[in-house]
Amino acid sequence: MLIVDLVVIPWGSECVVSMQPRPWPEPDPQVAAAIRAIYRGRRAVPLPVQVRDRLGELFPDAAFAEAFGRAGKPGWSPGRLALVTVLQKAANLTDRQAADEVRENLAWKYALGLDLEDPGFDHSVLPEFRSRVVAHGLEERVLDLLLERLTALDLLTADGSQRTDSTHIVSAVRDLNRLELVGESVRAALNALAAACPDWVDQVLVVDDWSHRYGDRVDSWRLPTSKTKQDKLALAYAQDGYTLLQAVYAPASPGWLRELPAVQTLRQVLVQNFTRTADRVGRLRIRRRERAEDGGDGLPPAPSRLASPYDTDTRWSAKRETFWNGYKLHVSETCHPQAEGDRPGRPNLITNVTTTCSTLPDSKALSAIHQGLHRRHLLPARHYLDSGYPSAELIASAAKTYGVALVTPVLLDTSRQAKARQGFAAHDFTIDWENNKALCPAGKTSATWNDVVQEGVAKTVVSFAALDCIPCPVKERCTSSRQGRRLSLYPWELTEAIRAARARQRDGTWQRDYALRAGVEGTVRQATHTTGLRRARYRGLAKTHLDHTTSAAALNLIRLHAWWNGHPLDRVNHSHLARLQLSLTA
């Protein structure tokens, strides 16, 4: 088998990356003998050793070939760097610590096929490798290769049951309020311009004056406490920002300066937080934007509102009691029902991770989740979700498009009759979809059938005649309207899906079946505690998603290692008081 070697050679502002094919070396005999001597008689060998023995060449270098060229000195192969990245996440190591493990740890040398005298590589190779993977859209390649291998080994199958849950991810940038955001955006643009074209900055700006205000981080000194002084400082930041943009967009300035990302970010921050209007004499007046409910000009919606000039993908968001600045992660895994104490036939493995903007509702991410599972040929027959994902449209769409049955609690009927459990709710009416008629519990037929659009959703409004409803002896149990009863129905497929889901939800068997979904909470905990996923290591949605896919691959290897050796995934810790209680009740 051929592999591709990677080397980075500085050359001006770019890098020359080479790939030279050569066979992947087998584990060095001396290293293998040392591993056998160290772990002789022990029940389980280390994770890297078992990965190499059971899975072999897990990440072929050809899978990463499109991200690298072929000219230059041979160096480290991208396939082995991918394995190092996954093992790094499994042990929650920094780049420097991972490079040290490659150089010093026999188990890592065995997995990578290195001899005892191999010096390894400098830790700066790892961020360069990640940057190239992201630049060529290969963020999911590592997880794809692992899942393909596990499917070939019959450790992972489709058409079973899977469960999905989401969790919040805190960004790798500092939290800034609106005042700090504007000042830091001006500072970021100044630094970008000074790095890109220092001569232009020296000619156009008075460097000493700008450096006095923007030389240090905005949040490194105490901000004013009064709102009046804060507003005054914000307007000063805005005036500096507009002055800087005016200089950049001047005809005499190089046109390419306008395309710098920091300059474009400054423009967007100013538009989102300030307005400029001309007074009677033509002078521009700058004013801070305030919420519309407070009598202001209104702020942009949360999905488009920037939260940091250094990470334009991160957003402020809130979910229940949690308020954070970052992203949202959706984790899907297989789930196999089993009796307590029994060893599962297959381990529960992560099949998909989806990283989204933190402001995106869970229900909007379900389509991307199913697309990812469909691409890997791992669509489940039953998909367990929490109450944040489902809607009538999703239930019908998943069944129609992918053939997936969503097992999830749906919103119950919120009508007055259904809440009071007295009278006739919508499900008590018989709907004749073919003839566009509805029959009420008293035997009356609907008078009108109108297709409408309510809040962007296609619905059907069914009305009964007032002459039928007013003299009806059960009118008080049906409606309090002076006119006839009205029903607002989804299209046929959605209405039937809602009725079927609500009927199943009232069954105790469904409740016991849905309890299987709760296991995904343990997966989220394992991800955050083992691989440190709660806080993003990198800036930007693409690199954060790469971190999540490699973490998912690492968690799968950890689970396989435990399953191969018959070990539980996690210890159950009991306090001394809990142990005493167990001993007394035994």
Side-chain angles (χ1 to χ4, degrees):
M1 182 168 295
L2 299 180
I3 68 171
V4 183
D5 288 337
L6 175 152
V7 65
V8 180
I9 304 175
W11 186 16
S13 60
E14 299 180 355
C15 291
V16 177
V17 180
S18 73
M19 302 189 312
Q20 302 295 333
R22 67 180 184 184
W24 185 304
E26 293 295 327
D28 182 75
Q30 288 183 299
V31 175
I35 291 291
R36 288 194 297 270
I38 293 173
Y39 296 99
R40 182 182 294 114
R42 297 193 179 186
R43 188 174 181 183
V45 297
L47 169 65
V49 176
Q50 279 205 327
V51 168
R52 182 61 191 265
D53 289 342
R54 293 179 178 267
L55 302 180
E57 186 183 355
L58 186 55
F59 304 121
D61 294 343
F64 302 92
E66 59 190 276
F68 307 99
R70 291 187 173 275
K73 181 181 178 181
W76 267 82
S77 69
R80 283 191 283 178
L81 287 176
L83 180 58
V84 170
T85 303
V86 174
L87 296 178
Q88 172 189 3
K89 294 301 299 184
N92 197 15
L93 304 176
T94 64
D95 290 344
R96 192 180 297 274
Q97 290 172 334
D100 291 340
E101 289 294 305
V102 172
R103 187 165 43 252
E104 302 168 0
N105 193 319
L106 288 178
W108 285 49
K109 286 181 176 292
Y110 182 90
L112 298 170
L114 304 179
D115 56 44
L116 288 174
E117 298 179 356
D118 194 293
F121 55 83
D122 187 77
H123 69 277
S124 61
V125 174
L126 289 174
E128 172 64 23
F129 168 73
R130 291 192 297 266
S131 297
R132 289 195 163 270
V133 168
V134 171
H136 291 79
L138 304 178
E139 297 93 342
E140 299 192 357
R141 187 60 55 88
V142 168
L143 183 59
D144 289 343
L145 293 172
L146 175 59
L147 296 179
E148 288 177 6
R149 179 63 58 85
L150 298 181
T151 301
L153 295 176
D154 199 33
L155 292 172
L156 184 64
T157 60
D159 298 330
S161 297
Q162 294 186 28
R163 53 198 176 193
T164 298
D165 199 7
S166 66
T167 186
H168 66 281
I169 305 297
V170 180
S171 66
V173 295
R174 301 188 303 274
D175 293 341
L176 303 173
N177 56 37
R178 290 180 60 196
L179 174 60
E180 295 169 336
L181 172 63
V182 179
E184 198 65 27
S185 297
V186 177
R187 179 174 174 269
L190 281 171
N191 285 327
L193 291 169
C197 193
D199 294 337
W200 177 87
V201 174
D202 185 34
Q203 294 173 5
V204 176
L205 304 178
V206 181
V207 177
D208 290 341
D209 294 344
W210 289 83
S211 178
H212 176 72
R213 174 172 287 178
Y214 299 104
D216 298 328
R217 282 180 4 203
V218 172
D219 62 349
S220 62
W221 51 281
R222 188 181 298 274
L223 297 175
T225 56
S226 68
K227 188 177 186 306
T228 302
K229 292 183 179 180
Q230 289 181 2
D231 291 340
K232 183 178 179 180
L233 181 59
L235 294 178
Y237 285 151
Q239 183 63 55
D240 289 344
Y242 284 118
T243 301
L244 183 61
L245 290 178
Q246 185 178 1
V248 171
Y249 278 83
S253 299
W256 58 270
L257 292 179
R258 310 168 189 173
E259 305 302 324
L260 292 176
V263 173
Q264 295 299 318
T265 299
L266 175 59
R267 291 182 66 248
Q268 189 171 350
V269 168
L270 292 177
V271 170
Q272 291 182 352
N273 291 275
F274 299 92
T275 59
R276 287 199 301 175
T277 56
D279 58 14
R280 295 179 180 179
V281 296
R283 291 176 301 184
L284 290 177
R285 298 292 186 182
I286 303 174
R287 187 174 59 182
R288 294 187 74 180
R289 288 183 180 272
E290 300 296 342
R291 296 183 302 176
E293 52 267 30
D294 296 335
D297 300 296
L299 295 172
S304 60
R305 195 184 312 162
L306 295 185
S308 172
Y310 305 109
D311 187 349
T312 56
D313 294 329
T314 184
R315 295 291 186 271
W316 285 104
S317 185
K319 185 176 182 181
R320 301 185 184 95
E321 304 86 16
T322 304
F323 184 63
W324 79 100
N325 178 24
Y327 308 95
K328 190 181 291 185
L329 171 65
H330 304 261
V331 182
S332 302
E333 68 170 358
T334 58
C335 51
H336 307 290
Q338 65 185 76
E340 185 176 356
D342 292 346
R343 184 175 186 269
R346 293 186 180 92
N348 291 336
L349 299 173
I350 298 175
T351 56
N352 186 78
V353 289
T354 301
T355 310
T356 66
C357 178
S358 62
T359 56
L360 187 72
D362 291 350
S363 59
K364 300 296 183 181
L366 187 58
S367 177
I369 294 171
H370 284 163
Q371 289 175 9
L373 293 172
H374 177 70
R375 179 175 58 83
R376 298 186 176 101
H377 306 288
L378 292 174
L379 277 171
R382 294 164 62 82
H383 196 178
Y384 292 81
L385 303 167
D386 67 8
S387 57
Y389 289 91
S391 68
E393 295 87 346
L394 289 178
I395 293 175
S397 176
K400 183 178 180 180
T401 306
Y402 299 107
V404 176
L406 299 185
V407 184
T408 174
V410 297
L411 182 65
L412 298 178
D413 192 348
T414 57
S415 64
R416 174 180 59 85
Q417 298 88 343
K419 288 182 177 180
R421 296 186 179 181
Q422 295 179 355
F424 303 119
H427 61 265
D428 294 318
F429 288 73
T430 302
I431 311 300
D432 185 357
W433 296 97
E434 295 182 356
N435 298 314
N436 294 344
K437 297 288 184 181
L439 188 68
C440 77
K444 300 297 182 180
T445 303
S446 60
T448 61
W449 181 285
N450 298 317
D451 294 328
V452 299
V453 176
Q454 297 179 350
E455 298 180 356
V457 179
K459 291 186 178 182
T460 299
V461 176
V462 180
S463 301
F464 289 82
L467 295 177
D468 290 334
C469 291
I470 292 176
C472 181
V474 293
K475 178 179 180 299
E476 293 183 357
R477 299 176 56 193
C478 185
T479 179
S480 58
S481 174
R482 296 182 179 180
Q483 304 298 321
R485 176 69 183 268
R486 285 190 177 185
L487 300 177
S488 181
L489 305 174
Y490 287 101
W492 175 75
E493 292 181 347
L494 298 184
T495 300
E496 295 303 319
I498 291 174
R499 291 189 172 189
R502 287 172 176 170
R504 289 193 301 267
Q505 194 168 322
R506 291 190 292 266
D507 187 4
T509 304
W510 182 92
Q511 298 287 348
R512 291 191 295 271
D513 181 31
Y514 182 67
L516 185 62
R517 188 213 67 85
V520 74
E521 303 288 352
T523 298
V524 172
R525 179 193 175 279
Q526 184 188 25
T528 57
H529 284 70
T530 303
T531 64
L533 274 186
R534 178 66 70 217
R535 186 172 294 275
R537 288 190 175 189
Y538 314 110
R539 300 174 183 177
L541 187 63
K543 273 196 174 182
T544 301
H545 183 55
L546 172 63
D547 187 41
H548 293 167
T549 55
T550 53
S551 296
L555 291 175
N556 281 341
L557 294 183
I558 292 173
R559 293 181 172 201
L560 286 169
H561 185 247
W563 185 77
W564 283 329
N565 297 285
H567 295 164
L569 283 176
D570 200 1
R571 281 190 317 225
V572 179
N573 295 322
H574 293 293
S575 64
H576 293 286
L577 182 61
R579 292 174 184 172
L580 177 60
Q581 181 185 10
L582 289 174
S583 65
L584 294 177
T585 56

